Amino acid sequence: MDVNAAVAAAAAIAGVLTGVIAMLAFRWSEREQKRPTRTSLHTDAVLPPGVDTVLSVLRSSAVVLDEADAVVKASSAAYALGLVRGGKLAVEPMLQMARDTRRDGEIRQVELDLPRRGTGRGEALAVSARVAPLGSRLVLLLVEDLTEARRIEAVRRDFVANVSHELKTPVGALSLLSEAVMDASDEPDAVQRFAGRMQIEATRLTNLVQELIDLSRVQNDDPLEDAEPVRVDELVAEAVDRCRHQAGTKQITMATAIQDPPGAVRGGLYVWGNRGQLAAALGNLVENAVNYSPAHTRVGISARRISAPGGELIELAVTDQGIGISDKDKERIFERFYRVDPARSRATGGTGLGLAIVKHVVASHGGEVSVWSAEGQGSTFTLRLPEAGVARDRAARHPGLDDEFGPADQSPYASLPSPEVLP
């Protein structure tokens, strides 16, 4: 009996001890769950209320540092720029700015050039960094990427400088020629000769101003606001008529080859866009082909429908048998005022803006322009534009969307099957 009582007492004591241990373990588990982790210490518990939300909507790259220079919070843009690596701020000048601001509480700002990650070409990112205290322990770093803004500013400066130079040349020539006319007032032959030169310079100046206006329009206007179905054969005919006189003077044959869709009536190819801009783009290509081709050669304009992953395209190609373009020049010929041969451009009256206009027109219509050329053999400029129905449907679904299509490797004469020779 005494033995049974002892066993019962021991069991009761063991049960009580088990319950106490279980209760202590439960309390300890709850305490551990409520204890802030390292991650929460560096975000919710440390950042002032609302700061995390504000940083998430900022366009600038944001980094928050604590008193030990550890990254408490960093936006995805900061990681993309390479500002934060391994939980540390990787840009030493910015880190030093943060330490100085933490010490004296002053706001600091500086512009820096940072090496671009993943490139070995020495390209740099231009950034503006601003550091400010955030509470008593934290420092906020905001970084704005200025690379694109600087590039645009450089393009603007170059454009203004080029325009000034191009305008100065004919204006200066007109001034000198007018003085020559005044000095030769008693010599009718000299007056006639100088007057002829003045007409040439005046025409060049007029063409330059007009192309500047055209370039401004294609950059600022939305071609889809006044879009309509445009017949391709009418565009080709207009481009040919525009250059018929120059071609006749050099005895250059103008040939066209328009491949209508199977079963369609003549003139069955259509593109969707601004008729005036498309006609100007194709006309510029044909005019260049005539101007840079030797006498007694041929310039061809072809049009056909091709298939592409994004839908049917209309391909327009302008081929010449001219001097050709070197590989180094092909990379720059669509830049404003760039000329392969400045002396020849002056002789032909070129302004250096024609191909820039072509590029902007085609891009704004959701297409692409490419060039094939070999020195001494000729060149082929190819426009690829969405067909009228495809372009209209896509514009309705995605306003402002520009498609990109890969360049084609095309020989200078492949696009001219069975040409129709025009007088």
Side-chain angles (χ1 to χ4, degrees):
M1 190 68 178
D2 293 337
V3 174
N4 291 335
V7 171
I13 294 173
V16 171
L17 290 175
T18 301
V20 170
I21 292 173
M23 182 181 65
L24 292 175
F26 178 75
R27 291 290 180 86
W28 179 83
S29 175
E30 281 190 331
R31 184 179 302 174
E32 286 297 317
Q33 291 180 0
K34 294 180 179 180
R35 180 180 298 174
T37 62
R38 178 178 299 179
T39 302
S40 63
L41 280 173
H42 287 300
T43 54
D44 299 335
V46 175
L47 288 178
V51 173
D52 195 4
T53 303
V54 173
L55 296 182
S56 65
V57 299
L58 287 177
R59 297 180 60 184
S60 305
S61 302
V63 181
V64 179
L65 303 176
D66 63 12
E67 64 272 13
D69 293 334
V71 175
V72 176
K73 179 73 176 180
S75 64
S76 58
Y79 287 99
L81 286 179
L83 304 179
V84 178
R85 299 175 190 173
K88 296 289 184 179
L89 186 62
V91 183
E92 185 61 31
M94 296 181 186
L95 185 59
Q96 187 59 47
M97 287 174 57
R99 292 169 179 168
D100 295 340
T101 296
R102 185 185 301 111
R103 184 181 63 253
D104 55 26
E106 293 186 4
I107 298 175
R108 290 174 168 81
Q109 184 169 355
V110 68
E111 292 188 2
L112 301 170
D113 291 331
L114 306 179
R116 190 186 297 269
R117 296 182 62 186
T119 63
R121 296 175 292 177
E123 297 180 354
L125 286 172
V127 299
S128 174
R130 185 177 178 88
V131 180
L134 185 63
S136 59
R137 300 168 52 197
L138 304 180
V139 174
L140 172 63
L141 171 66
L142 295 177
V143 179
E144 188 77 21
D145 188 357
L146 304 178
T147 307
E148 184 65 14
R150 284 192 179 181
R151 186 191 68 80
I152 293 175
E153 178 63 21
V155 170
R156 186 193 66 81
R157 287 197 305 267
D158 292 343
F159 182 71
V160 171
N162 285 328
V163 168
S164 301
H165 173 74
E166 295 295 334
L167 290 174
K168 183 179 179 180
T169 301
V171 169
L174 286 172
S175 177
L176 293 174
L177 288 169
S178 63
E179 292 179 4
V181 169
M182 293 177 64
D183 294 338
S185 57
D186 296 333
E187 302 177 29
D189 293 340
V191 170
Q192 187 174 4
R193 184 173 67 254
F194 292 141
R197 288 296 306 167
M198 291 178 68
Q199 287 183 341
I200 293 175
E201 295 299 334
T203 300
R204 178 175 299 173
L205 182 60
T206 301
N207 292 339
L208 175 58
V209 173
Q210 184 59 51
E211 291 203 345
L212 286 172
I213 295 173
D214 293 341
L215 181 60
S216 176
R217 285 176 176 171
V218 300
Q219 288 180 315
N220 298 327
D221 294 347
D222 182 2
L224 298 182
E225 289 183 356
D226 301 319
E228 60 179 341
V230 181
R231 284 182 53 169
V232 173
D233 60 340
E234 293 179 353
L235 290 177
V236 172
E238 187 172 340
V240 170
D241 288 338
R242 173 177 171 176
C243 304
R244 191 183 300 275
H245 177 70
Q246 299 97 305
T249 302
K250 300 173 67 174
Q251 298 184 7
I252 292 177
T253 302
M254 303 284 286
T256 64
I258 301 177
Q259 297 181 6
D260 292 310
V265 298
R266 183 174 178 83
L269 296 181
Y270 286 82
V271 292
W272 180 260
N274 185 294
R275 180 186 181 88
Q277 292 186 11
L278 292 171
L282 184 60
N284 284 345
L285 292 182
V286 176
E287 187 174 7
N288 281 351
V290 172
N291 289 336
Y292 288 92
S293 292
H296 307 287
T297 56
R298 187 182 72 167
V299 170
I301 307 99
S302 68
R304 62 176 179 171
R305 175 195 286 170
I306 61 174
S307 298
E312 300 296 316
L313 302 178
I314 301 300
E315 183 181 87
L316 291 159
V318 178
T319 300
D320 64 63
Q321 297 173 314
I323 58 177
I325 306 169
S326 65
D327 291 337
K328 64 180 182 66
D329 289 320
K330 279 192 291 187
E331 298 177 358
R332 301 189 59 190
I333 56 175
F334 293 101
E335 296 178 11
R336 302 164 184 167
F337 295 110
Y338 184 78
R339 296 182 176 93
V340 175
D341 186 353
R344 189 179 183 93
S345 294
R346 285 192 295 270
T348 59
T351 63
L353 292 174
L355 291 180
I357 293 174
V358 172
K359 179 180 178 181
H360 280 288
V361 169
V362 175
S364 64
H365 283 75
E368 185 193 58
V369 56
S370 60
V371 58
W372 178 97
S373 186
E375 292 185 90
Q377 298 184 29
S379 304
T380 295
F381 285 83
T382 304
L383 309 180
R384 294 180 186 85
L385 298 165
E387 196 174 17
V390 176
R392 183 172 58 247
D393 294 343
R394 186 176 64 249
R397 294 193 305 269
H398 308 287
L401 180 64
D402 287 342
D403 288 345
E404 294 184 358
F405 306 101
D409 184 11
Q410 183 178 346
S411 67
Y413 308 116
S415 62
L416 294 173
S418 304
E420 174 187 346
V421 179
L422 301 180

